[in-house]
Amino acid sequence: MSKILVVADHKDGEVRKPTLELLSHTRGAGLSTDALLIGQNVKGLADTLAGHGAGTVYVADDASLQYFSADTYAAAVADAAAKAQATQIWISVSETGKALGPTVAGRMDAAFVGDAQGLEIEGDNVTVLRPAMATKVMQKVRFAKAGVKVITVRSGAFDVQPADAKPANVVALPAPNSNGRVVVKSLEQEESGEIDLGDANIVVSVGRGVKGPDGVELVRPLAKRLGAGFGASRAVVDSGWMPYNAQVGQTGRVVTPDVYFAIGVSGAIQHLAGMSGSKLIVAVNKDPDAPIFSVADYGIVGDLFKVVPLLIEEVGKVKK
Amino acid sequence: MNILVPVKSVIDVELNIRVRDGRVVEDGMNYVLNKWDENAVEAALVLKESQGGEVTVVTVGPDRSGEALRKTLAMGADKAVHVNDPATEGSDAHGFAKILAKVAARGAYDLIITGKQAQDTDMGGTGPLLAAMLDLPLVAGVIAIEPQGAGKLGIRRLGQFGTEVIELALPALITASDSLNEPRLASLRGIMQAKKKPMEVLKVADLGLSAGDVGSAGARIQVVEYLPPPARSAGKKFEGDEAETTAQVMNLLTNEAKIFA
Ligand SMILES: Cc1cc2nc3c(=O)[nH]c(=O)nc-3n(C[C@H](O)[C@H](O)[C@H](O)COP(=O)(O)OP(=O)(O)OC[C@H]3O[C@@H](n4cnc5c(N)ncnc54)[C@H](O)[C@@H]3O)c2cc1C
Ligand SMILES: Nc1ncnc2c1ncn2[C@@H]1O[C@H](COP(=O)(O)O)[C@@H](O)[C@H]1O
């Protein structure tokens, strides 16, 4: 039988949706699951995890864990996994998860598969469906050897089932030994709009077509009015017009909202890799041959500087 | 500062990729140096230029991978190691990391820089696995590097919640993001010089590994099937007067997609 350890993702004192997706899935499938919280002042989230089905919640809560560092966080995961006798470790995909997953696998001498978009579980056999080659192919991956499996899972793979918090069975973990080799001095908190891209039902992204910071500010109110997350292409991020963590794409965030607006984005494969899983794609681009139109459900061939103000006005009429 | 940069020759993902009978159709495929590895090489060269030392590149792969190595030598790397052994075929990230760990152990490197991920696997596993095997501190997804003297680097990492400002003690392993730098193009002179630079070719046995440790035999994960991605086709495209086209799309969003419902 499998025993799953879900590493919880949290932000601003709340458990993030990708974690609830993972727990909802294991609960629905009746899989024995524990959870792990790592950070500073995170104990309070244990009851939420328990409500969503975590049998035991391991908690590594310490000032030294305020910021992510692959080495210390992986040590906490290895500790919890050993105590839980986990056969699988599930981590949601983010810049934290992407670094943590293989580091944990390396430390535990376990197998690693990243970026799962679907999981088939039979006993302790797992088949992973994942994109590769800039999402131009899907791979079905199997584990070839016995042993612990570490899997990072993309958000949107499963639905969240609502659940009330309940008192958790908490096991406190000691703070991992930080050997001082990686010292996170600070986190430059980049505001990237009010709504986290990963949690947003609608995402509006800007590309180089916005021409500069003024163009970004022209589009921002559209995101606001739609209650959308506000993202960007790499060209925009590299130009310094938007923060790094707004980048959508193969090296940036992968988003799967109900609606994705691409404004002045050409649609390079590396960008498509981060958003082609959106349910509906709307593109505004003045070039009728821009590759973004080959994936867009609704496309406007036109000048974004004219279209966006019109869109804002129209959205204002239907969304008060 | 002596730096080791593992690089990979990968399928050019800019090309059309076809899947037939659960496999990627290989004919017509072109192989290129993994983009993120270009960033890794560039970072190593910049560090060498300011700190001195040597840049060694290494690849594990068949004959065609030699071309990727030559490209990095032409960019300015000093020497190359090519682990060219049929036994490595079918390796997963774990297998590659195991081989790279043996190569790393043959030298004294202050820093190892891998790409953030390889374009063919999109896995991002090899670097962190290698760091763990060598017990090196890891920072993945680096967007800026600043030497700080005394065996330390100032690093900026693209983190989940913003840019992490990090002090990293060497020796260490970092993985290069594509936002780290703009890789240089090889000059004609560089291309000529590359031909004279040392390239060592090794078998896994030379590294003290046996065939069962690597390749499909040693792999912990196995791609059993390739499938085409979920189909996504072009929808409705409107051209002409912006007021009209915008109104048409708003109408569809409201009445067809019902996103405001
Ligand atoms: C290894 C690697 C990883 C990468 N990872 C990512 C990633 O994660 N995310 C990412 O986004 N990119 C990534 N890239 C970069 C990617 O290849 C593209 O360069 C980038 O996405 C282009 O951004 P863009 O569409 O904003 O700019 P451009 O390609 O310059 O497109 C701008 C578009 O705006 C349109 N336009 C201009 N003016 C107007 C106007 N007035 N009205 C309407 N439209 C207008 C133009 O027609 C054009 O289509 C990566 C590249 C590499 C090599
Ligand atoms: N066969 C290989 N030879 C040398 N380096 C590799 C190999 N495979 C992966 N790497 C390195 O590991 C990085 C990440 O690869 P991956 O884990 O496949 O995403 C690459 O960018 C390379 O730096």
Side-chain angles (χ1 to χ4, degrees), chain B residues 91-92 94-95 98-99 102 208-215 217-219:
Chain B
S91 286
D92 58 358
H94 195 270
K98 217 186 232 177
I99 299 165
K102 292 287 187 188
L209 291 167
S210 70
D213 294 332
V214 298

Side-chain angles (χ1 to χ4, degrees), chain A residues 36 56-60 83 168-173:
Chain A
L36 166 63
T56 298
V57 180
Y58 295 88
V59 181
K83 292 195 166 97
N169 170 25
V170 170
V171 173
L173 301 176

Side-chain angles (χ1 to χ4, degrees), chain A residues 144 183 185 234 278 297-298, chain B residues 165 178 220 232 236 256:
Chain A
V183 181
K185 299 284 218 197
R234 194 185 96 184
S278 305
D297 298 281
Y298 305 147
Chain B
V165 183
D178 43 288
R220 296 180 175 195
R232 174 126 228 162
K236 300 172 180 152
E256 188 179 85

Side-chain angles (χ1 to χ4, degrees), chain A residues 5-118:
Chain A
L5 178 70
V6 170
V7 180
D9 188 1
H10 55 85
K11 185 187 185 185
D12 300 335
E14 277 184 46
V15 177
R16 291 197 54 234
K17 191 169 150 227
T19 299
L20 300 181
E21 290 173 9
L22 299 182
L23 289 174
S24 296
H25 182 70
T26 59
R27 189 166 62 130
L31 298 163
S32 166
T33 306
D34 289 346
L36 166 63
L37 275 164
I38 312 174
Q40 185 183 22
N41 297 328
V42 293
K43 286 188 200 82
L45 303 180
D47 293 354
T48 304
L49 300 173
H52 279 84
T56 298
V57 180
Y58 295 88
V59 181
D61 194 329
D62 192 79
S64 66
L65 298 167
Q66 179 189 6
Y67 299 127
F68 170 72
S69 164
D71 295 339
T72 46
Y73 274 47
V77 177
D79 188 10
K83 292 195 166 97
Q85 298 193 309
T87 61
Q88 295 177 33
I89 300 168
W90 291 10
I91 303 172
S92 51
V93 170
S94 68
E95 288 305 320
T96 294
K98 282 196 245 180
L100 185 58
T103 306
V104 167
R107 272 185 171 260
M108 296 183 65
D109 199 20
F112 169 70
V113 174
D115 274 287
Q117 210 162 281

